Amino acid sequence: MDFSFTDEQRSIAETFDRFCDKELNYDYVRWMDENVDFPPDELWDKFADLGLFAAAVPVEYGGQGLGSVDTMIAYEQICKRSMSVALAVGTVIGFGARFLTELGTDEQKQRYLPRLAQGRLRTSMALTESGGGTDILGSLSTFAEDAGDSWVINGSKIFITGAHAADLIFTVCRTERDTRRRESWSTIIVPRRTEGLTMRPVEKISCHHCDSMEITFDNVVVPKDNLIGTRGQAYREIMTVLNPERIGVAMLGVGAIAAIYDYCMRYVQERHAFGGPIGRFQSLQHYLADMRIHLENARNLTYKAAWLCDTGQPYHLEATMAKLVAAEGARHAGTYGTEIFGGYGICNEYPVSMFARDSYQIQFSPISNEMSRNMLMQFQGLPKSWA
C-alpha cells in the first residue's frame, strides 16, 4: 500500500501551491470577500493559463485528461486559500466537465468542451429546490414541457452556486407526468441569458465571493437538443456528477481544516500570555491535536474516494464518508480555531474568521451530515431510516 504521490503529482501540488501563495494571498482574498460576488476575470484567466480547467477534459477536446486524484491535488491548494474561489472553479471542473464528458453527445462535447478547457465557458448545476432540500426526489417540481422542437421550463431553484456567472446551467427538471418519480427527471442545458430566466442572490454568512442564487424559470424556451443524457433517466445518471461532487466538497473541508490548523499553529507560538507562548497550554494543544487528527482522516478518505473513482471501483460509500468527516472536521476547526485566537478570532483581520464562517456551508451541502449517516447505513444493508 503506497500513499505517496508520484513525481508528477508532487509537481502539480508544488505548482499550484506557489501559484496560490502569489495569487490568493489573504489580502486579496479578503478584498474579494468584501467586494465581489464571484472571482474576477483576471484571476479566472490565470487559472486557465495554468491548465486548471483543462485538467478533467479529455485530450481529444483540448484537455489534459487527468483523473480525480490529480485534479484534487491541484484543488486542495485552492481550498486552503479560499473556499469561495474553490466553489467557483468547482462549478466548471466538477459540474461542467463531468456532465459533458460523461453524458454529452458528440456534438455537445465538440461544441462546449474545448471552450471549457480554455476557461472560456462557465457552468453551474441547478438541482436543489426550496420545498425539499435533501428530499430532492420528493420535492423536485420544476417541469420542462415537451413542445415538439423545444422545451418550455417553469419552476424555481435555490442555492445554485455561481449561476449568475455561468454561461450554461445544467438544469434538472421533471419531463414526465405519468411515470415513477425516479424515471421522470431529465437534465437540460439552459443558457443563462435565456428569456424568462431570472435570478436573485441568496444572502448568507458564508463564501461571500461566490454567490448562491435563487433562479426562477418562467416559460423558458430552449431547443430540444439541449437535453443532456437520457430523457427520464437523470435521477440515475446525475450520480456521475453528485458522487464526485462529494469528493470535491470533502476537499473544501480538508482545505479549511488545513488552513485553520496552520494559522493556529503559528499563532500559539507567536502569542504570549502569562509569561510565555500560549502554545504551552494543554487545552490549546488538545484543540490542535484534534484538528490534526481530523485533517489526516479527512484527507485520507478524500484521496481514497478519488482513487477509487479513478480506478473504476465503487466509491459512493467513501465519498459520503469523506464529505461527512471533512465537514465536521472543518466545523470543529472553525469553532476551536476562533477560540485559540480569542477576540481576534472573530475579526476579519485574521483568516480564521472567514474559514469558520465558510465551513458552515458544507455542513448541509451537497448532502446534510445527518442524511450522510442515514445513507451510509442504508449502503450497509440496514432499513431506510427516513421517509
Side-chain angles (χ1 to χ4, degrees), residues 16-256:
F16 275 85
D17 186 43
R18 287 194 302 269
F19 174 87
C20 291
D21 270 349
K22 179 182 178 183
E23 304 293 346
L24 279 180
N25 62 74
Y26 182 60
D27 287 341
Y28 183 54
V29 169
R30 180 180 174 187
W31 175 85
M32 285 192 289
D33 218 48
E34 296 173 351
N35 292 281
V36 301
D37 59 14
F38 197 81
D41 290 346
E42 179 184 17
L43 177 62
W44 197 266
D45 292 342
K46 290 176 180 178
F47 276 125
D49 292 341
L50 199 60
L52 177 64
F53 304 115
V57 173
V59 174
E60 58 267 34
Y61 298 104
Q64 300 176 24
L66 300 182
S68 182
V69 171
D70 293 339
T71 305
M72 285 300 106
I73 289 171
Y75 196 58
E76 180 178 354
Q77 307 310 314
I78 304 169
C79 294
K80 290 194 298 190
R81 275 71 174 198
S82 165
M83 286 178 62
S84 292
V85 173
L87 279 171
V89 301
T91 61
V92 175
I93 62 177
F95 294 153
R98 195 81 187 181
F99 263 118
L100 291 164
T101 300
E102 298 291 330
L103 301 175
T105 64
D106 288 341
E107 191 278 332
Q108 288 168 340
K109 291 176 182 179
Q110 292 167 5
R111 181 179 180 185
Y112 296 126
L113 281 175
R115 292 167 54 203
L116 188 147
Q118 296 165 5
R120 296 191 295 112
L121 183 74
R122 300 178 186 178
T123 59
S124 185
M125 178 178 70
L127 173 61
T128 304
E129 299 192 2
S130 60
T134 302
D135 182 23
I136 191 64
L137 182 62
S139 67
L140 192 141
S141 60
T142 297
F143 199 90
E145 194 76 45
D146 185 342
D149 60 352
S150 63
W151 300 103
V152 181
I153 306 173
N154 285 281
S156 64
K157 301 287 183 178
I158 192 76
F159 302 127
I160 308 306
T161 301
H164 61 301
D167 300 297
L168 304 177
I169 302 171
F170 294 92
T171 305
V172 183
C173 313
R174 291 185 64 201
T175 55
E176 321 304 315
R177 296 188 186 278
D178 300 319
T179 62
R180 298 171 58 211
R181 295 190 71 89
R182 290 174 180 268
E183 297 170 354
S184 68
W185 291 12
S186 302
T187 304
I188 298 171
I189 302 173
V190 181
R192 174 170 54 91
R193 300 186 185 279
T194 304
E195 185 176 355
L197 189 154
T198 57
M199 300 186 191
R200 72 167 186 87
V202 178
E203 295 185 11
K204 56 181 183 174
I205 66 169
S206 60
C207 299
H208 290 168
H209 49 288
C210 183
D211 268 3
S212 300
M213 308 300 292
E214 181 179 11
I215 307 177
T216 300
F217 301 87
D218 184 7
N219 289 322
V220 170
V221 180
V222 298
K224 200 67 167 292
D225 290 344
N226 282 27
L227 176 75
I228 186 166
T230 308
R231 178 172 177 171
Q233 296 301 308
Y235 181 74
R236 173 181 56 83
E237 289 179 338
I238 64 171
M239 291 305 163
T240 193
V241 175
L242 298 185
N243 281 325
E245 181 191 12
R246 292 174 190 175
I247 299 174
V249 171
M251 191 57 79
L252 292 174
V254 170

Side-chain angles (χ1 to χ4, degrees), residues 258-272:
I260 294 170
Y261 177 78
D262 287 346
Y263 284 119
C264 288
M265 279 295 288
R266 288 198 293 272
Y267 187 73
V268 299
Q269 296 173 74
E270 297 167 354
R271 171 74 168 171
H272 283 242

